[in-house]
Amino acid sequence: MNQFNGFPSTLRHVAILGRSVCAESRSRWQDISSNYQWHDLNQFACAVRGVERLDPPLVMSTFFTSEAEAMMMSLPNSFWFFNVMHYAAGYPTTAGLIDKHILDRVFDHLRSRLATVYDLEKAIDQLSASELAVRVAEGVIVFKSQSWQHLNGAELVFNVIFQPKA
């Protein structure tokens, strides 16, 4: 049997479940700070810490350094949050927490995977309608509006993972 040397596989399971539940939000910007305390993630953090209840700020610090937490909270929506968590949980950690270096590797991995298919250096206004459509479908570019439930008047912005390099 393969030995997993990152976080226990259940963190990956939490991420897989969260990613699948949130898949429809892949292309919409959503302030994830309002979803700061996802139920399954909270339950797993409680189990890891051996407590029944946990204050919301301690959920993230159970798994992430403060710098990595800030990076996670900058993601455009819950789908990308859980997708990044899924990959990050597969990396071995040195201090028992997912840190900025692990997230940088995950971002690079996701970016390089899509860069084989799409020119990620093209500005939004330089994309054809079909190029724009596939990037939105993939979540490379997301709709950002005042209300994530309605796209009227939405602005198109790059997902922070896929922003063109300056």
Side-chain angles (χ1 to χ4, degrees), residues 5-127:
N5 58 2
F7 271 98
S9 63
T10 51
L11 182 61
R12 293 190 87 181
H13 291 197
V14 168
I16 289 167
L17 177 62
R19 183 174 64 179
S20 65
V21 167
C22 300
E24 69 182 40
S25 71
R26 166 191 303 252
S27 300
R28 293 180 177 182
W29 185 88
Q30 171 190 18
D31 180 10
I32 60 174
S33 65
S34 62
N35 291 331
Y36 194 79
Q37 193 175 8
W38 298 277
H39 179 74
D40 293 331
L41 184 59
N42 182 335
Q43 293 301 309
F44 185 57
C46 287
V48 167
R49 289 182 179 253
V51 297
E52 287 187 34
R53 294 180 49 131
L54 198 56
D55 289 334
L58 297 177
V59 172
M60 290 294 286
S61 65
T62 302
F63 309 109
F64 299 94
T65 64
S66 59
E67 196 172 23
E69 179 181 347
M71 289 175 71
M72 292 295 290
M73 298 310 288
S74 75
L75 293 170
N77 55 52
S78 295
F79 170 82
W80 287 103
F81 176 91
F82 285 114
N83 196 35
V84 168
M85 180 188 294
H86 170 259
Y87 286 103
Y91 285 93
T93 63
T94 54
L97 296 173
I98 295 169
D99 61 21
K100 176 192 182 317
H101 302 292
I102 291 172
L103 293 184
D104 285 341
R105 289 173 66 187
V106 171
F107 283 25
D108 288 346
H109 166 76
L110 292 169
R111 185 175 172 73
S112 67
R113 199 171 87 192
L114 286 182
T116 63
V117 181
Y118 309 117
D119 178 359
L120 297 178
E121 298 306 316
K122 266 188 169 179
I124 291 174
D125 62 354
Q126 295 175 340
L127 299 170

